[in-house]
Amino acid sequence: MRFAFTEDQLLLRDTVRGLLARECPPDVVRSAWEARSGRAPSVWAKLAEAGVTAMTLSEASGGLGMDELDLALVLEEAGYAGLPDPLVETVAVGAPLLEAVGTAAQKERWLDAAAAGDALIAVGFEGQPFVPHAAVAAVALLHRGGDLYAVPREELPLEPQVSVDRSRPIARVDYAPDARHRVDAGDRAALDAAVGVAFDRAAWATSCVLLGLTRRMLDLAVQYAKDREQFGKPIGAQQAIKHHLATALIRQELARPLVYRAAWSLAHRDSVRDHGAHVSMAKVHAANAARHVAKTALQVHGAIGYTIEHDLHLFQKRAWALAAMYGDVGFHRARVGAATLPD
Amino acid sequence: MDLTFTERENAFRAECRAWLERHVPKESLGSGDTREGFARHLEWERELFDAGWAAVSWPKEYGGREASLFEWLIFEEEYYRAGAPNRVTQNGIFLLAPTLFEFGTEEQKARILRPMARGDVTWGQGWSEPNAGSDLASLRSTARRVEGGWLLSGQKTWCTRGAFCDMAYGLFRTDPAQKRHHGLTYFMFPLHGEGVTVRGVDRLDGDEGFAELFLDELFVPDRDVIGEVNQGWYVAMATTSSERGLTLRSPGRFMATASRLVDLYGRYRASAEPALRDAVIDAWIDAEAYRWYTFQTVTHMVDGQDVGASSSLNKVFWSEMDVRTHETALALIGDRLELDIDHDAPESAGDAVDEGAWMRGFEFALAGPIYAGTNEIQRNIIAERVLGLPRK
Ligand SMILES: Cc1cc2nc3c(=O)[nH]c(=O)nc-3n(C[C@H](O)[C@H](O)[C@H](O)COP(=O)(O)OP(=O)(O)OC[C@H]3O[C@@H](n4cnc5c(N)ncnc54)[C@H](O)[C@@H]3O)c2cc1C
């Protein structure tokens, strides 16, 4: 038993943390809001240079062949920075899914480009009301009627919607399955398994991002509590504020190990039978912690936190959206229940 | 990261499990917080010690197995999984012993540890006083220097199982000129004999689990001082940090409670509303979260990192989780929840053995946010020492 990341994994985290602190400050997130683009193109280019966009593809496909454990802290940092681009969909889910089940032509068309940072990937699982990032992705992987389709953007019927998080371009996609776009997984069982893994990756990677968002909101609140003075002293000297923030930290820190454990289980999914339940536990705690801290951070800020001018809402709204994405708390709790309770 | 257990750890688990399966008493020993129940629990403690399980992480010379921290956690998981009795020697083995390992003399360790672990000499904690609870540094008990030792005077309270224990440990003011944390000394002292009167106090659950200790010039020899004279506060903090940290409540206990809750749900699910199903699942997830949080902490400890005030996070989490879990159980049980166990009353057998155990467990869970530093105090510590918020 050893529950800690390796030196290399921590080093990569530090690199990405530094890069995002420089390249993706809140102003950059705000530009994605204003443009409603869901993009921070210069940041994505830098991440590609650092190899992040190639992490999950195998070496044979020109990637770095890294697993969920390598990716976990990178995703968390992306959450912390509020990176608008679809790191979860492109790197954690789309690229490995396309590599696993795409036709030779599909892989040729998109994998190198994705690894190089030139193509984004969107994913739409069955039952998902919106496909985020579809408008900016080169290809959307859509699960429809038990089959998976890789649909190029120009052939995708998009009906854009407005997200509470204006940096998330979401769209309704009313796609009529077209055999030309179908992937090639061999048989149905293999496809179901690949889509199942992709969904687990999506839910887990979103949990990592939520952890980062949570930490960002808590950092903002703690800093504000130290700086803001009322009654002649910092509000953070008041016990009510202290206790709010202490509770927020506890929620965050008890979600963290479940998210990291799920990373391990996914990376070793062939031998970890319950990896789906592990992912679901992670999503339940990460979503609940994020929503809790989003509320606490606002309360600690008072009215300034209730403005568009302040940065808090950038992270808060992302957290609300992601807490419900790829299975909300109710969905994932039920999945844990199915694995643990008598039926 | 490697979240599998090593071959050695698996073999250790198998050995624990096999021994516990053969030896855990089939019949309940009753409450360990009554005089008779305490005596029955001590027999069990002796059996544990003689087989080398009483304090698995201790050095062999004191009766341990030199188990690693992970092995200790494994032992705890197996112990509670097997439904083994509560550890009435806990306040010695898990709270005093770590202080002795850090500050005790060779003589003290040789004299005290084995009898402690075998339950031959039992220990209570004597920190709290009537006017010094959360604000322990305001304590008023004193120790006056005399030839060869000290005379202890004052009153201690809430001493768990003090009515049945042989010895206790606590802080006394040895330098009246110094204030608060300064000028205190850490003493071990007897609970029988001249100069000490012990009065049992019934706890919420009706058991005589608390005691008040009245000390009137109780003589304690120099050899029963731990650490330096007037440095008692710093010596004591070593105990409280291990108390809040790992040793007081390892994950195994809560995993076992969560499993029992799942079983209870199995029996009551026909009448359970959907929200209760959710609460059962949440209890399960919480226990898992605490388990992995602990594995993470222990890995950091093995790596030599300071885990410091993070033990406060841990304490708040497990204590509040335990309350929620028991509340969920009682909600499942519904209007039968008032069934209590009374070991003296034959009519309290049957269902009460299980349902009543949840009420008892609930009552004890409610103490979790109070003892070992209240959760309000822990939140202050988290805010000030972890988050760096201003003290004033
Ligand atoms: C089951 C159980 C077993 C125990 N066993 C032992 C034992 O073996 N030995 C022993 O010495 N003691 C023992 N205790 C006592 C325990 O350590 C004390 O109860 C605890 O330290 C709190 O002290 P108090 O009860 O005097 O409460 P108080 O300190 O009077 O506190 C009352 C309330 O005020 C709050 N409060 C106090 N100060 C602050 C502050 N600064 N900020 C915010 N809130 C504050 C507390 O959180 C609490 O809610 C035990 C208690 C229980 C319940």
Side-chain angles (χ1 to χ4, degrees):
Chain A
M1 179 60 57
R2 178 173 173 75
F3 195 10
F5 289 96
T6 64
E7 288 297 317
D8 284 349
Q9 286 158 349
L10 294 174
L11 204 66
L12 177 61
R13 174 200 63 188
D14 292 344
T15 307
V16 172
R17 180 178 287 180
L19 187 160
L20 291 171
R22 279 191 312 277
E23 307 292 333
C24 192
D27 282 351
V28 170
V29 184
R30 275 178 190 281
S31 342
W33 262 66
E34 277 140 29
R36 303 215 181 158
S37 63
R39 298 279 347 246
S42 61
V43 185
W44 194 256
K46 289 268 172 20
L47 286 172
E49 252 170 58
V52 169
T53 48
M55 283 178 72
T56 52
L57 288 174
S58 69
E59 288 171 32
S61 297
L64 300 173
M66 292 172 132
D67 66 15
E68 286 80 358
L69 289 166
D70 301 309
L71 194 58
L73 299 178
V74 172
L75 289 159
E76 194 177 322
E77 292 305 319
Y80 188 87
L83 176 76
D85 304 70
L87 187 64
V88 168
E89 288 75 8
T90 303
V91 176
V93 183
L97 178 59
L98 198 59
E99 181 176 10
V101 300
T103 63
Q106 289 165 340
K107 291 197 230 185
E108 165 142 11
R109 180 162 175 201
W110 288 302
L111 283 189
D112 282 349
D118 296 331
L120 300 179
I121 305 173
V123 289
F125 295 99
E126 203 103 59
Q128 194 175 303
F130 316 115
V131 180
H133 313 285
V136 290
V139 55
L141 303 179
L142 302 179
H143 193 221
R144 294 289 181 271
D147 268 316
L148 188 71
Y149 302 88
V151 189
R153 182 173 49 221
E154 58 278 11
E155 296 183 48
L156 201 61
L158 282 183
E159 215 188 300
Q161 309 286 314
V162 179
S163 168
V164 65
D165 172 0
R166 299 285 192 274
S167 68
R168 270 171 75 74
I170 55 174
R172 248 203 285 274
V173 174
D174 190 12
Y175 172 72
D178 180 338
R180 286 179 304 126
H181 301 144
R182 201 169 9 214
V183 301
D184 177 17
D187 57 26
R188 177 51 71 87
L191 180 69
D192 287 350
V195 172
V197 169
F199 179 78
D200 280 337
R201 280 210 186 101
W204 161 77
T206 301
S207 306
C208 295
V209 173
L210 283 164
L211 264 189
L213 286 162
T214 302
R215 186 160 52 84
R216 182 59 169 267
M217 294 186 284
L218 186 55
D219 277 2
L220 285 170
V222 167
Q223 191 58 50
Y224 191 74
K226 291 176 184 172
D227 296 342
R228 168 74 173 169
E229 294 199 359
Q230 284 293 285
F231 300 99
K233 57 182 175 182
I235 56 166
Q238 304 287 359
Q239 200 172 61
I241 298 289
K242 284 183 182 167
H243 286 196
H244 277 325
L245 293 171
T247 301
L249 182 72
I250 294 165
R251 299 290 292 258
Q252 170 184 294
E253 292 309 311
L254 270 295
R256 184 182 301 288
L258 287 179
V259 176
Y260 296 165
R261 191 269 295 256
W264 196 86
S265 298
L266 277 177
H268 299 84
R269 61 184 173 278
D270 295 338
S271 58
V272 182
R273 193 169 44 93
D274 284 340
H275 62 266
H278 297 173
V279 167
S280 288
M281 290 189 205
K283 184 79 201 302
V284 168
H285 261 225
N288 281 338
R291 291 191 304 194
H292 178 89
V293 176
K295 269 193 293 195
T296 299
L298 173 57
Q299 185 66 20
V300 167
H301 277 83
I304 189 68
Y306 200 73
T307 63
I308 291 291
E309 176 193 330
H310 196 279
D311 291 337
L312 177 63
H313 81 108
L314 300 173
F315 306 102
Q316 187 185 40
K317 289 169 180 167
R318 184 77 56 80
W320 292 339
L322 294 186
M325 194 70 206
Y326 305 123
D328 62 8
V329 169
F331 172 91
H332 284 290
R333 186 194 280 119
R335 228 169 53 136
V336 177
T340 51
L341 296 190
D343 22 60
Chain B
M1 198 176 288
D2 181 1
L3 304 190
T4 59
F5 290 101
T6 62
E7 238 166 75
R8 196 189 127 124
E9 286 161 346
N10 283 328
F12 181 81
R13 186 187 291 280
E15 194 187 346
C16 296
R17 186 171 294 188
W19 190 86
L20 288 163
E21 262 165 22
R22 274 198 312 279
H23 292 88
V24 168
K26 300 280 176 287
E27 297 280 298
S28 160
L29 302 183
S31 163
D33 296 306
T34 61
R35 189 169 297 278
E36 307 71 41
F38 185 72
R40 282 192 295 272
H41 278 73
L42 286 184
E43 282 170 33
W44 163 247
E45 288 293 333
R46 265 160 222 149
E47 197 176 340
L48 270 181
F49 180 86
D50 292 341
W53 298 109
V56 293
S57 58
W58 286 11
K60 291 208 173 80
E61 58 175 314
Y62 301 119
R65 293 178 177 243
E66 294 173 12
S68 69
L69 276 171
F70 280 117
E71 286 168 340
W72 176 71
L73 291 170
I74 290 168
F75 170 76
E76 291 270 305
E77 289 186 4
E78 292 302 319
Y79 189 86
Y80 289 101
R81 180 181 173 276
N86 278 340
R87 304 293 307 275
V88 296
T89 50
Q90 163 142 355
N91 290 344
I93 294 176
F94 295 129
L95 304 180
L96 175 57
T99 307
L100 283 172
F101 281 121
E102 204 167 326
F103 298 95
T105 62
E106 289 309 313
E107 184 277 325
Q108 286 172 331
K109 288 189 277 185
R111 173 162 55 96
I112 294 165
L113 290 170
R114 288 182 77 95
M116 167 196 289
R118 197 164 179 273
D120 292 340
V121 177
T122 54
W123 293 85
Q125 301 185 79
W127 308 116
S128 304
E129 296 184 4
N131 290 305
S134 298
D135 185 11
L136 185 60
S138 69
L139 63 84
R140 296 179 191 173
S141 296
T142 58
R144 188 160 57 81
R145 194 96 185 85
V146 289
E147 175 75 33
W150 302 80
L151 292 179
L152 273 47
S153 295
Q155 187 183 341
K156 300 283 181 184
T157 190
W158 316 134
C159 180
T160 293
R161 293 185 280 270
F164 332 122
C165 285
D166 304 305
M167 298 283 295
Y169 49 93
L171 293 176
F172 293 79
R173 184 158 301 285
T174 36
D175 184 350
Q178 296 190 53
K179 294 230 150 46
R180 295 191 53 82
H181 313 79
H182 308 288
L184 302 173
T185 299
Y186 195 128
F187 285 95
M188 298 181 280
F189 55 96
L191 292 178
H192 306 292
E194 211 183 322
V196 53
T197 310
V198 175
R199 191 177 77 86
V201 176
D202 290 350
R203 303 190 316 190
L204 183 67
D205 58 14
D207 292 345
E208 195 187 355
F210 278 148
E212 288 180 302
L213 318 177
F214 302 91
L215 310 183
D216 183 12
E217 306 223 310
L218 168 67
F219 178 76
V220 169
D222 281 323
R223 65 176 197 165
D224 284 342
V225 170
I226 306 181
E228 301 281 312
V229 170
N230 291 336
Q231 296 299 309
W233 183 265
Y234 309 97
V235 176
M237 284 306 111
T239 318
T240 54
S241 72
S242 67
E243 171 170 351
R244 286 195 295 265
L246 276 176
T247 53
L248 184 61
R249 295 289 180 258
S250 74
R253 179 189 291 249
F254 304 106
M255 291 165 60
T257 311
S259 291
R260 286 203 300 124
L261 181 67
V262 167
D263 292 343
L264 187 75
Y265 175 78
R267 289 202 283 123
Y268 278 93
R269 70 174 178 275
S271 58
E273 44 171 320
L276 277 179
R277 180 183 167 93
D278 289 354
V280 171
I281 301 166
D282 283 338
W284 181 272
I285 300 176
D286 279 347
E288 285 271 319
Y290 184 55
R291 181 180 194 227
W292 291 98
Y293 181 80
T294 303
F295 286 156
Q296 186 182 272
T297 308
V298 167
T299 302
H300 292 157
M301 287 167 77
V302 168
D303 285 352
Q305 292 175 31
D306 178 16
V307 293
S310 73
S311 60
S312 293
L313 262 79
N314 176 329
K315 196 261 159 168
V316 175
F317 186 79
W318 64 248
S319 58
E320 294 179 357
M321 159 174 73
D322 203 30
V323 173
R324 285 193 299 274
T325 305
H326 282 87
E327 283 172 340
T328 302
L330 293 184
L332 281 169
I333 292 170
D335 53 9
R336 292 153 59 85
L337 70 81
E338 66 183 297
L339 274 176
D340 197 0
I341 310 174
D342 178 349
H343 296 289
D344 301 329
E347 66 271 20
S348 82
D351 287 351
V353 172
D354 198 40
E355 271 86 334
W358 283 106
M359 175 49 85
R360 283 294 174 113
F362 172 62
E363 287 174 327
F364 188 61
L366 287 178
I370 301 173
Y371 62 72
T374 70
N375 285 11
E376 287 75 22
I377 298 298
Q378 303 302 346
R379 283 184 163 88
N380 291 347
I381 294 173
I382 293 165
E384 289 164 13
R385 304 204 199 138
V386 184
L387 297 175
L389 293 172
R391 304 192 76 126
K392 288 204 178 71

